[in-house]
PDB file of all heavy atoms in Angstrom:
ATOM      1  N   ALA L   7     113.092 181.808 228.768  1.00 79.00           N
ATOM      2  CA  ALA L   7     112.153 182.274 227.777  1.00 79.00           C
ATOM      3  C   ALA L   7     112.295 183.845 227.748  1.00 79.00           C
ATOM      4  O   ALA L   7     112.481 184.529 228.776  1.00 79.00           O
ATOM      5  CB  ALA L   7     110.743 181.838 228.069  1.00 79.00           C
ATOM      6  N   GLN L   8     112.088 184.321 226.639  1.00 88.00           N
ATOM      7  CA  GLN L   8     112.045 185.788 226.492  1.00 88.00           C
ATOM      8  C   GLN L   8     110.737 186.443 226.839  1.00 88.00           C
ATOM      9  O   GLN L   8     109.660 185.796 226.637  1.00 88.00           O
ATOM     10  CB  GLN L   8     112.325 186.159 224.997  1.00 88.00           C
ATOM     11  CG  GLN L   8     113.737 185.852 224.552  1.00 88.00           C
ATOM     12  CD  GLN L   8     113.680 184.232 224.097  1.00 88.00           C
ATOM     13  OE1 GLN L   8     112.870 183.787 223.830  1.00 88.00           O
ATOM     14  NE2 GLN L   8     115.028 183.861 224.227  1.00 88.00           N
ATOM     15  N   THR L   9     110.781 187.632 227.486  1.00 94.00           N
ATOM     16  CA  THR L   9     109.540 188.318 227.775  1.00 94.00           C
ATOM     17  C   THR L   9     109.593 189.748 227.310  1.00 94.00           C
ATOM     18  O   THR L   9     110.626 190.254 227.235  1.00 94.00           O
ATOM     19  CB  THR L   9     109.250 188.375 229.313  1.00 94.00           C
ATOM     20  OG1 THR L   9     110.468 188.880 230.003  1.00 94.00           O
ATOM     21  CG2 THR L   9     109.116 186.863 229.907  1.00 94.00           C
ATOM     22  N   VAL L  10     108.506 190.302 226.966  1.00 97.00           N
ATOM     23  CA  VAL L  10     108.441 191.739 226.509  1.00 97.00           C
ATOM     24  C   VAL L  10     107.358 192.471 227.380  1.00 97.00           C
ATOM     25  O   VAL L  10     106.318 191.942 227.604  1.00 97.00           O
ATOM     26  CB  VAL L  10     107.962 191.789 225.047  1.00 97.00           C
ATOM     27  CG1 VAL L  10     107.868 193.214 224.618  1.00 97.00           C
ATOM     28  CG2 VAL L  10     108.997 191.018 224.240  1.00 97.00           C
ATOM     29  N   THR L  30     110.405 197.220 227.350  1.00 98.00           N
ATOM     30  CA  THR L  30     111.529 196.583 227.847  1.00 98.00           C
ATOM     31  C   THR L  30     111.461 195.113 227.576  1.00 98.00           C
ATOM     32  O   THR L  30     110.312 194.552 227.452  1.00 98.00           O
ATOM     33  CB  THR L  30     111.764 196.862 229.312  1.00 98.00           C
ATOM     34  OG1 THR L  30     110.556 196.363 230.201  1.00 98.00           O
ATOM     35  CG2 THR L  30     111.999 198.208 229.627  1.00 98.00           C
ATOM     36  N   TYR L  31     112.573 194.315 227.595  1.00 97.00           N
ATOM     37  CA  TYR L  31     112.577 193.078 227.268  1.00 97.00           C
ATOM     38  C   TYR L  31     113.571 192.288 228.131  1.00 97.00           C
ATOM     39  O   TYR L  31     114.479 192.909 228.609  1.00 97.00           O
ATOM     40  CB  TYR L  31     112.817 192.672 225.684  1.00 97.00           C
ATOM     41  CG  TYR L  31     114.038 193.256 225.189  1.00 97.00           C
ATOM     42  CD1 TYR L  31     115.082 192.489 225.205  1.00 97.00           C
ATOM     43  CD2 TYR L  31     113.993 194.596 224.924  1.00 97.00           C
ATOM     44  CE1 TYR L  31     116.329 192.986 224.594  1.00 97.00           C
ATOM     45  CE2 TYR L  31     115.322 195.141 224.371  1.00 97.00           C
ATOM     46  CZ  TYR L  31     116.373 194.305 224.300  1.00 97.00           C
ATOM     47  OH  TYR L  31     117.468 194.926 223.816  1.00 97.00           O
ATOM     48  N   ASP L  32     113.341 190.991 228.323  1.00 96.00           N
ATOM     49  CA  ASP L  32     114.325 190.241 228.962  1.00 96.00           C
ATOM     50  C   ASP L  32     114.727 188.950 228.091  1.00 96.00           C
ATOM     51  O   ASP L  32     113.907 188.244 227.616  1.00 96.00           O
ATOM     52  CB  ASP L  32     113.684 189.584 230.295  1.00 96.00           C
ATOM     53  CG  ASP L  32     114.725 188.977 231.177  1.00 96.00           C
ATOM     54  OD1 ASP L  32     115.850 189.393 231.130  1.00 96.00           O
ATOM     55  OD2 ASP L  32     114.349 188.089 231.947  1.00 96.00           O
ATOM     56  N   THR L  33     116.080 188.945 227.999  1.00 93.00           N
ATOM     57  CA  THR L  33     116.622 187.718 227.176  1.00 93.00           C
ATOM     58  C   THR L  33     118.090 187.500 227.544  1.00 93.00           C
ATOM     59  O   THR L  33     118.649 188.361 228.064  1.00 93.00           O
ATOM     60  CB  THR L  33     116.516 188.186 225.693  1.00 93.00           C
ATOM     61  OG1 THR L  33     117.006 186.998 224.956  1.00 93.00           O
ATOM     62  CG2 THR L  33     117.430 189.315 225.370  1.00 93.00           C
ATOM     63  N   SER L  34     118.527 186.252 227.382  1.00 91.00           N
ATOM     64  CA  SER L  34     119.798 185.801 227.682  1.00 91.00           C
ATOM     65  C   SER L  34     120.685 185.937 226.399  1.00 91.00           C
ATOM     66  O   SER L  34     121.801 185.554 226.284  1.00 91.00           O
ATOM     67  CB  SER L  34     119.972 184.618 228.412  1.00 91.00           C
ATOM     68  OG  SER L  34     119.290 183.566 227.572  1.00 91.00           O
ATOM     69  N   LYS L  79     118.348 196.682 227.991  1.00 96.00           N
ATOM     70  CA  LYS L  79     117.131 195.903 227.321  1.00 96.00           C
ATOM     71  C   LYS L  79     115.875 196.761 227.252  1.00 96.00           C
ATOM     72  O   LYS L  79     114.818 196.414 227.728  1.00 96.00           O
ATOM     73  CB  LYS L  79     116.938 194.627 228.118  1.00 96.00           C
ATOM     74  CG  LYS L  79     118.117 193.733 228.136  1.00 96.00           C
ATOM     75  CD  LYS L  79     117.991 192.434 228.875  1.00 96.00           C
ATOM     76  CE  LYS L  79     119.261 191.625 228.949  1.00 96.00           C
ATOM     77  NZ  LYS L  79     119.222 190.388 229.733  1.00 96.00           N
TER      78      LYS L  79
END
Side-chain angles (χ1 to χ4, degrees):
Chain L
Q8 294 80 27
T9 58
V10 177
T30 59
Y31 58 95
D32 188 27
T33 184
S34 59
K79 296 179 183 174

